[in-house]
Amino acid sequence: MTMRTKHSPNFNERAGGVTPTVLILHYTGTKTAQDAEDVYMDPNPPKQKSPGPVSPHYMIDYDGTVTQFVAEDKRAWHAGASWWDGRDDINSHSIGIELVNPGIKHGYVDFTQGQMDALEILVRGILSRNPIPAHYVLGHSDIAPTRKPDPGEKLDWAWLAARGIGLWPQPDQRDYDLGDIFLGNAADLHRALTEYGYDPRLKLDELIPAFQRHFQPDAFVDPVRRGRSDRELAARLHWLLRMKNTTAKAPTP
């Protein structure tokens, strides 16, 4: 893995001096890595490129080259208005990684194997230095479902989970049976999604696509199933809740 360092001016101190406990994956939404870098290094980017100054801690190019823009102990500006599991200042609590990809607006493409290999190495190091639980390894779409679709359904979350990064649902029969309870009542399904961490202020039809992008991508790419709950979604959600509730208690917001 090739590592470069650029010193973005777009950062500040983490509120209260907190230690990062959340990891957020993004895509750049730009045609090239240089386009993204130009924005991350600019304290006053043109409004057609960004509504304000932004920065990740790291960016991974197509060939796997990693660029660090902000030190891990500092607050990078990558999450924007977002919420997860009781936290609304996600930037203070998180480390952000951008993967170069044009995204949905500019011709979404598969992430390269070079990017995925570099992501594995990079995240293993981050997890060794920071107390980030598996259920706090998230996509931008998880923490800002109505604003952001990245990193999207093409990111191979199952591949990452197999390497000890994040969670990938592996429901058994009890998850299907107990998950059926969620399908019987929209309020129960909404409550289960927000118990996992999603923003309780959002509507169910805003949360389901975000969940599918991360944990049920095969449904998201099927127009018939996209945005609609089904037995597989409920079972996967139940499995995720079991995993969250059996791990160490999440840090206090």
Side-chain angles (χ1 to χ4, degrees), residues 13-239:
E13 299 297 322
R14 295 183 183 275
V18 298
T19 299
T21 53
V22 184
L23 179 67
I24 306 297
L25 303 185
H26 309 254
Y27 63 48
T28 60
T30 60
K31 295 180 180 179
T32 67
Q34 188 62 54
D35 289 341
E37 182 176 313
D38 289 345
V39 173
Y40 303 152
M41 294 298 293
D42 192 341
N44 295 291
K47 292 195 180 297
Q48 67 268 27
K49 293 186 177 182
S50 175
V54 296
S55 62
H57 290 89
Y58 299 97
M59 179 182 73
I60 304 177
D61 205 347
Y62 292 116
D63 65 357
T65 298
V66 177
T67 304
Q68 182 170 15
F69 290 94
V70 177
E72 288 181 13
D73 65 335
K74 303 301 182 183
R75 181 180 182 272
W77 303 344
H78 60 97
S82 50
W83 200 98
W84 188 261
D85 208 13
R87 296 159 175 75
D88 58 5
D89 180 7
I90 300 299
N91 281 334
S92 282
H93 292 277
S94 67
I95 289 174
I97 301 173
E98 295 271 3
L99 294 145
V100 177
N101 192 299
I104 293 171
K105 289 185 178 180
H106 303 293
Y108 195 25
V109 298
D110 291 336
F111 297 96
T112 68
Q113 192 58 51
Q115 285 179 307
M116 297 302 290
D117 290 341
L119 180 61
E120 177 187 0
I121 296 169
L122 176 62
V123 173
R124 283 184 180 278
I126 291 170
L127 296 181
S128 73
R129 295 185 292 272
N130 300 277
I132 300 174
H135 55 276
Y136 276 22
V137 176
L138 304 164
H140 203 181
S141 59
D142 291 311
I143 63 171
T146 60
R147 294 192 308 110
K148 295 294 184 177
D150 59 307
E153 62 276 6
K154 290 182 181 291
L155 186 70
D156 197 342
W157 291 98
W159 186 91
L160 290 172
R163 287 154 180 78
I165 299 168
L167 293 175
W168 182 253
Q170 301 178 58
D172 58 24
Q173 191 58 50
R174 61 181 160 170
D175 296 305
Y176 285 96
D177 292 342
L178 294 173
D180 285 345
I181 298 171
F182 302 154
L183 296 178
N185 186 297
D188 288 336
L189 181 56
H190 186 272
R191 190 178 303 110
L193 285 164
T194 60
E195 182 183 343
Y196 189 63
Y198 289 95
D199 190 340
R201 298 167 295 185
L202 299 182
K203 298 176 182 178
L204 183 59
D205 61 4
E206 294 171 324
L207 298 180
I208 289 175
F211 182 89
Q212 289 178 327
R213 278 194 171 98
H214 187 157
F215 297 112
Q216 198 187 16
D218 58 324
F220 188 81
V221 297
D222 181 347
V224 176
R225 299 169 65 200
R226 183 184 306 171
R228 301 183 65 177
S229 59
D230 57 20
R231 197 165 190 244
E232 185 64 30
L233 180 149
R236 294 185 183 198
L237 177 55
H238 189 271
W239 184 92

